[in-house]
Amino acid sequence: MTADGKTCEWCGSGVTDSVTTVYWELPDGTRSIEIHDVPGILCGSCGMEYQDEEVIMDIEDQLMLMDTKAIPKSVDFKELLQMPKFLKKNYFRF
């Protein structure tokens, strides 16, 4: 499936949507977690696979707003975003 009108941030070629596993360091630096089924972008030309800014912000905000001790070593993206939060929004994002 094509990422409508998007081009690779590295080489400028056309990209496709993908789903991947990523590894993320928790905000407190105590450990990293494995996140499955994360929406991403794949470049068939240079081979780069990455997440767009909106997905990155969703993950980072969720990790800033919740009890990270409750996160297992491995979690599904949708499951992570549905975990309970301490705050309603990230007040550090301007």
Side-chain angles (χ1 to χ4, degrees):
M1 102 181 88
T2 313
D4 298 327
K6 293 182 183 178
T7 58
C8 178
E9 292 181 16
W10 280 266
C11 75
S13 297
V15 294
T16 57
D17 291 326
S18 69
V19 177
T20 189
T21 297
V22 299
Y23 301 87
W24 219 272
E25 183 177 348
L26 297 180
D28 62 7
T30 56
R31 64 188 173 106
S32 62
I33 59 171
E34 181 179 61
I35 309 171
H36 299 280
D37 299 325
V38 179
I41 297 168
L42 175 62
C43 178
S45 182
C46 73
M48 289 300 295
E49 188 168 18
Y50 57 96
Q51 283 64 50
D52 67 20
E53 194 64 30
E54 183 180 335
V55 171
I56 292 169
M57 287 177 60
D58 286 346
I59 293 171
E60 289 181 352
D61 284 349
Q62 179 67 9
L63 294 176
M64 287 289 293
L65 300 174
M66 64 178 297
D67 177 10
T68 56
K69 292 177 182 78
I71 304 172
K73 291 180 181 181
S74 182
V75 65
D76 181 77
F77 175 71
K78 289 180 183 177
E79 181 184 344
L80 174 68
L81 295 184
Q82 292 174 358
M83 290 182 167
K85 300 174 187 163
F86 287 137
L87 300 171
K88 292 185 181 186
K89 72 180 226 172
N90 184 351
Y91 294 97
F92 297 105
R93 190 168 305 283
F94 301 104

